[in-house]
Amino acid sequence: MSSPREYPPGVFVLDPMSRPLTVAALLLSACASSNSTPEQLLLEVQTLTRSGDYQAAAKAAEAAKVQIPADSPLQEELARAAVEVSLASGLEVVRTLSLADRDDEALALLTELEEAFPGEPMVEAWRRRVQRKQADYWFEIARSALASSQFEAARVAYERAIDFEPDHALAPAGLARVKLLEEYRSGLAVDYYFSGVRDLTEQKLNESENSFEKSRRYDAESERTRRRIVEVRREKAAGRVAYAEQLVADRRYAAARAEYAEASRLDPASEEIAEAFNVMRIEAEVAALLSEAESFVLRSEFAEAEVLIAEAAERTELQADLVEAARAGISSTQVGMRYQRALDLEHDFLFPEAIEVYGEVLSGRDFYEDARARKEALENYVVEAARLYAEAEASTAPADKLAKFRQIETFWPEYKDILEQISGLEDE
């Protein structure tokens, strides 16, 4: 709303919301000359006022006041006409503001008009009209709030409606209903509160929290209920922590992390729980790294596994032994693979190659499975085969040669060319 209007003597003047002069008003103003009679001047003011052209009416009244003799009986009628112009123009602004839902501004303007025109029935009628509109507005807000169980908001809205219209047809009953519901809710809040206390005493923590939450739903401002809820949640958090500690002992770090997360939600003020959760978060990630490393080992992708194990070693506080076991697992797997490779070479009668791989298996250790015995047996086979082969070549008796070669065949059938030698000797 614009700043309060300035009143010329006896006239209420409109500013931005005033109407433009009509053609009729211009014609009437043109008649307002020195040749117009006082009655014509007064008629002009009245006609412009009835047409709603208040600005023109105010100007016509000012002009008539000057032209009508001061001692003329028409001066009194002119004064009343000027008052009517001021009043009508002010009420027109009130109407416009109210239609634009700017009722606060309309009421402020009505207050100004009441001061300027005390006891004026039209002003009082417009005040009742605007206040009734505001009362209905707040009544609808109250009904919506009540429908959504927002009792505090409903009570305030009903009170506002009654402030605007004390004899409103429905608002007082609505306010009484809200107060009744608030009393009922207050009783429920107390009942649920003490139900929560009983459950807390019996360590029925979930039931206790549920009861306290219901109590707070009916009495959101209760500090005592809030403290009880905090107490229950701390008790529940302690239970979660105790279970999490068991999981840590069992090295189930991901599960422990979940328990600490829930405990932290229940007791967000606990720095100890927050720190434990951070530790578990890291240890769960380390456990995942070790599990992934194990998958790489199973695929014989040892370099990738070693990278993950190195990262796990840097981050862990609780799984250093598992990290070392993972490293040892890589070494053990690699040795096992070498051992199997040596067996495969041995079974393929590639004794020198098998001996070399068995040597790798035994590097840095005294024994591994039966690798040492197998290595020594193969070394003996190599020596024995070389000896028998040399004796066979030195012998001049075919039968003796054949016997030597057949001895080699029993333990190393693919040694050098013994199969061809045996075949040739048998053909002789």
Side-chain angles (χ1 to χ4, degrees), residues 205-344:
L205 300 180
N206 289 332
E207 294 87 342
S208 178
E209 182 182 15
N210 186 47
S211 293
F212 285 134
E213 286 289 1
K214 289 180 178 178
S215 177
R216 186 167 66 171
R217 191 182 308 157
Y218 293 119
D219 185 5
E221 303 301 320
S222 174
E223 178 62 22
R224 189 174 184 82
T225 302
R226 188 197 66 79
R227 288 200 303 269
R228 286 295 191 184
I229 291 173
V230 171
E231 179 182 353
V232 171
R233 289 178 176 174
R234 283 178 178 167
E235 289 282 345
K236 292 177 69 175
R240 294 281 186 170
V241 168
Y243 182 48
E245 290 172 347
Q246 294 178 16
L247 293 171
V248 172
D250 294 338
R251 295 195 157 178
R252 296 170 59 189
Y253 299 110
R257 175 185 59 189
E259 292 300 316
Y260 277 120
E262 178 62 11
S264 185
R265 184 190 69 80
L266 292 167
D267 188 5
S270 173
E271 295 181 0
E272 182 178 352
I273 293 176
E275 177 60 27
F277 168 73
N278 286 330
V279 171
M280 284 307 103
R281 177 180 56 79
I282 293 172
E283 294 302 331
E285 292 171 357
V286 167
L289 289 172
L290 293 177
S291 177
E292 189 178 358
E294 183 178 2
S295 298
F296 279 121
V297 170
L298 291 175
R299 298 195 298 268
S300 301
E301 298 176 11
F302 300 114
E304 291 83 351
E306 287 173 352
V307 170
L308 295 178
I309 291 171
E311 181 181 350
E314 291 179 358
R315 300 181 63 188
T316 188
E317 294 180 9
L318 304 177
Q319 302 178 75
D321 57 332
L322 295 181
V323 170
E324 292 307 313
R327 282 177 173 154
I330 290 179
S331 176
S332 176
T333 300
Q334 290 175 321
V335 171
M337 292 176 66
R338 291 193 186 97
Y339 175 75
Q340 185 60 52
R341 173 63 176 161
L343 285 175
D344 293 341

Side-chain angles (χ1 to χ4, degrees), residues 29 32 41 44-45 48 55-65 78:
S29 297
L41 293 172
E44 178 189 7
V45 174
L48 289 169
Q55 187 177 27
K59 291 181 178 180
E62 284 295 317
K65 184 177 180 181
L78 181 61

Side-chain angles (χ1 to χ4, degrees), residues 56-134:
K59 291 181 178 180
E62 284 295 317
K65 184 177 180 181
V66 174
Q67 295 182 42
I68 296 175
D71 57 352
S72 172
L74 293 179
Q75 280 288 355
E76 185 177 345
E77 290 188 44
L78 181 61
R80 285 196 300 271
V83 169
E84 290 177 3
V85 172
S86 298
L87 178 59
S89 62
L91 292 177
E92 175 65 14
V93 176
V94 168
R95 186 186 73 84
T96 303
L97 290 171
S98 183
L99 287 175
D101 292 327
R102 295 162 62 183
D103 293 310
D104 289 341
E105 297 177 56
L107 290 171
L109 181 53
L110 283 168
T111 299
E112 295 180 22
L113 291 174
E114 286 168 343
E115 293 174 355
F117 309 105
E120 173 57 47
M122 288 297 293
V123 176
E124 293 175 358
W126 266 102
R127 176 172 286 281
R128 287 193 299 272
R129 180 175 178 178
V130 175
Q131 289 188 164
R132 185 179 302 113
K133 179 185 174 187
Q134 280 288 287

Side-chain angles (χ1 to χ4, degrees), residues 131 134-135 138 156-168 171:
Q131 289 188 164
Q134 280 288 287
W138 283 105
V156 171
Y158 276 128
E159 289 174 348
R160 290 293 303 275
I162 293 170
D163 286 342
F164 280 112
E165 188 177 4
D167 57 348
H168 192 279

Side-chain angles (χ1 to χ4, degrees), residues 389 392 401-409 421-422 425:
Y389 192 89
K401 281 180 177 289
L402 181 60
K404 300 290 184 184
F405 287 139
R406 286 197 179 280
Q407 277 187 272
I408 297 173
E409 184 185 21
Q421 294 280 8
I422 291 173
L425 292 169

Side-chain angles (χ1 to χ4, degrees), residues 307-384:
V307 170
L308 295 178
I309 291 171
E311 181 181 350
E314 291 179 358
R315 300 181 63 188
T316 188
E317 294 180 9
L318 304 177
Q319 302 178 75
D321 57 332
L322 295 181
V323 170
E324 292 307 313
R327 282 177 173 154
I330 290 179
S331 176
S332 176
T333 300
Q334 290 175 321
V335 171
M337 292 176 66
R338 291 193 186 97
Y339 175 75
Q340 185 60 52
R341 173 63 176 161
L343 285 175
D344 293 341
L345 292 170
E346 178 184 341
H347 294 157
D348 200 31
F349 302 108
L350 300 173
F351 293 162
E353 292 86 345
I355 291 170
E356 180 180 357
V357 177
Y358 278 130
E360 293 175 3
V361 170
L362 294 169
S363 177
R365 55 180 57 85
D366 293 332
F367 65 90
Y368 182 86
E369 300 289 344
D370 59 351
R372 186 167 296 281
R374 286 183 174 278
K375 178 175 179 291
E376 291 175 353
L378 293 179
E379 289 172 340
N380 289 333
Y381 286 160
V382 170
V383 172
E384 183 67 9

